[in-house]
Amino acid sequence: MDTTRCIRITAISVDPAAHAVETAAAHELRDYLGRMGGGELPMLAPNDPALPGAGVVFVGGSDTAVRHGLCQAGELASLAADAFVVRSRDGQVLAAGGGYRGTVYAVYRLLEHLGCRFYHEELEIVPDPGAGQIPAILDLADSPAFEWRAMWGTVPTLKAGLSPGEWPAAIQGIELPRMMAIPRGGFWHHTLGFLLPASEQPPEYLALLGGERRVVDPARQQYCLSNPDFLRLATEAALRWMDEDPEPVYYPIHYGDVGNFCECANCRAMYAEQGSITDAVIGFLNQIAAEAEARHPEKFLTILAYWGTRNPPVRQRPRANLLIVFCAISECQARPWSHPVNQRLHVCRDLERWIELHPLGPQGIITFEYPTTYYFAGYPYPALYAHAENLRYYRRLGLRGVYICGLTRGHLLPLYSYVMSRLLWNPERDLGALIDQFCRAWYGPAAEPMCQYVDLLHRSAISSSSQGVMDCHAGPGQLFFRELWTRDLLDQADELLARAEAAADTQAVRQRVAGEYWGLLFTDLYLHAASARNLTPDASPRGYSTAAPTEADYRRMATLLRLCQELERPWDVEKRRQYSLTAIVGFEPTATPWWTCPRVQQLMEDPRRVWEEDDRQHVDRLARHVAVLENEHTQAVLIPALGGRIWRLYAKAAGVDLLRREPVPWHLLEGGAHSATHVEIGGYEEYAGELYGAPGWAERYACTVTPDGNSATLTAQVDGGLELRRIVRLLETEPGIEVESRLTNSGDATRQGVVLRAHPEFVLDGVADEPVLLVRQADGIWAERAPVSETWLSGPDLPAGAWGLVNRTRNVGVIDEFDLDQVKRCYLYIRGDGSAYNLELFSVKRDLHPGEWLELRHRYALRHGPWLERT
């Protein structure tokens, strides 16, 4: 910088009547300039007689700034709230915005112009003394691409040009008013359950789901939108919220974080009458928005276009003060919305249709982004390049706002936080330059291989030929990653991260590289070593494959464990999915902390020796976890260690696997599972309770197989005092099984409302395409009905002891026969992709005194040909 043509700052000026945030911004500027060698600069009012004739920075607007020619009268008032100017004229400087937020952004932009850099909460660059001088002629004017720019991340909100959103945004201890309102005790994503606690409402206000109106977690609570009294209550709550918390601009009135809505007769009629569930939700919110507009015409309500309401409405149109938060959550986050995979999922079509429908056009839309993973945080999730392109698309459309969710932990998190926040302000910035700038500051001498790693990861993801999507909820085992992470790509990435680790020159940089290296090694071992051990379904005679990992995998395990110890990572990788390092290394540690376990230490020190031992023992260990029943018609594979489930049911003559199966994680076989967090493994399981995933599915069952291999008895203690005993028998004359379960109160106290739920997942290997639901009536005649995604049969609709799914074209089906005295409800559930059909039974509900029990006896059979023709 040519210091002969620079302004030396001598004072800071801010109007005494300025907003408290602008005054704080002036103090912030003085503090940073002091750190750059500016000394103790005085803070003076614009009309103070002591104000120097040169070298003053005016923070915020003032008449004095106008007199100095730094801005025109009314110029600042014409700017948007977040827009700003940074200008120098005749030895004086102005840093001011269209509102107090704009002034804050102006101050930080001025500091960046002087060489300050704000990379991370833990990394700021402040130039050496003498750098704090401003060019004599400077004219910066800027405004953000989006009115609302919010994200979770590791960057200071205001220093990154972000809006006050879910994270607190403060300057000099003064917190800025949030733009998005947040209900007491909750967060803005899903609010109705916090605004109107379900436990305080009459039951008829709650959504009828699965035949019941339940109080659940507030973030997942659904309500009956057709109830006029609930509409009145919700309107009163929204207006009260706006009255009591008047500073935000947006007030989210959002339904729960689920995809299903009330199933009562009135709601179903409302969906049909209005055209769709989306129409019903928009119609409900429009009525609240009309009342809100009358009292707060300058404010907006927001509603989610999410899961069940992602599709635009058929008949309804949102009011102008009802903004749409568009959530593309189930699409491929690794490829931009313009990619053919996402075009097939209609992201652009649906978003642009919402724009057409909204009275404000694109200014009626905010998007909700998912560039991170919510499970197994820390594994590579390459979303940055795709989201950079999407942001450019949003700017072309002219959207009002963008919210980026979930950047609180994960792979390359500091990089994502820095780059995405800058792109939210201006999506046209050079992506490569931003990545290079950050990596040089964050990784130091390891920057070059880290930049190459980032580029390799993202370009490989975007160019992948996989037809799968990179799903933020699915984890590293999803199809997209199985197809992306070839051995060649993994080896290239490993080489780059090894180079970065070798180049790291400080402990801080070593830790930063180690965190990313951990993610790569974990993914490699998750997809190869762990999946090799797992019981993986196949069409072989025994029905599954399993193998010990390779010697090379064991060497990678040793490196992964070393990194885990350096980073002090826990053994449990993902508690919500019951996934720990046991899945990787094949055993549980015997000491705390885990790295003091002798076997762990041996693996880190001598991976070859541990590999040789494990490879010899693998088959013997497997035999403890699997029981097989078999006759001329059927093979059944039972897994006693995980709920005594029937994991495979194979009809031999037809060559058909009847049950949907997922790989069974080895670490759950070895270490056990717990009922608190359900893990989908497929097959047939039972619950000691009505809720999905209730106790019973996870417990380790004792198992005895009869000598002839035709039946097995499984027993376990479940749910504090209940004993579940199940006898599984193969049918003698046709493919299928008979299940006889008894749930006994083995405790000392009466158990109230005990229910036993049978939960099978049938697939029929393609036989059940376009099935019909077959129900036996009281007169013995079979009736057909078209199945829907969720069908409840109870009371007069309860089948008379038999029901099933059949394919009339192929004349094949699965029939479930049961004891009518033991069953209260039948439930057909069809997975969203049509890949599985659950024929579930709910027993009668009873209070069980000590020693009493309830039973559930039924049989599933594969029927075809003449039998089905007679129904």
Side-chain angles (χ1 to χ4, degrees), residues 288-303:
I288 300 176
E291 298 292 329
E293 184 177 25
R295 189 178 300 185
H296 297 282
E298 76 288 1
K299 305 293 185 181
F300 296 90
L301 303 184
T302 70
I303 184 61

Side-chain angles (χ1 to χ4, degrees), residues 105 136 212 361 654 680 706 774 860:
Y105 303 135
E212 293 191 80
E680 282 198 12
T706 57
L774 205 60
Y860 295 108

Side-chain angles (χ1 to χ4, degrees), residues 19 27 42 49 107 113 140 149 214 241 304 308 327 421 438 521 528 549 573 579 659 664 703 752 763 804 868:
H19 194 286
H27 284 275
V107 163
H113 193 78
L140 299 176
R149 312 161 306 283
R214 291 196 187 98
W241 188 19
L304 297 176
C327 308
S421 61
F438 178 83
L521 283 170
H528 299 291
V573 178
Y579 196 94
L659 295 172
V664 180
C703 178
Q752 297 182 332
V763 291
L868 290 178

Side-chain angles (χ1 to χ4, degrees), residues 633-717:
H633 304 291
T634 310
Q635 181 202 65
V637 176
L638 314 182
I639 302 181
L642 288 172
R645 72 184 56 249
I646 305 167
W647 185 61
R648 189 190 199 201
L649 189 60
Y650 180 68
K652 292 183 174 181
V656 171
D657 267 305
L658 298 178
L659 295 172
R660 186 183 81 86
R661 295 183 292 157
E662 293 291 330
V664 180
W666 183 262
H667 72 287
L668 295 184
L669 291 173
E670 287 283 293
H674 55 81
S675 294
T677 305
H678 186 263
V679 177
E680 282 198 12
I681 305 171
Y684 171 95
E685 59 191 16
E686 290 180 351
Y687 309 141
E690 294 178 273
L691 295 180
Y692 173 69
W697 73 269
E699 288 74 6
R700 190 177 295 274
Y701 283 61
C703 178
T704 303
V705 178
T706 57
D708 61 8
N710 284 323
S711 69
T713 301
L714 302 114
T715 308
Q717 292 292 321

Side-chain angles (χ1 to χ4, degrees), residues 246-261:
E247 290 185 317
V249 181
Y250 313 120
Y251 294 82
I253 312 296
H254 297 173
Y255 57 82
D257 191 7
V258 293
N260 51 349
F261 288 79

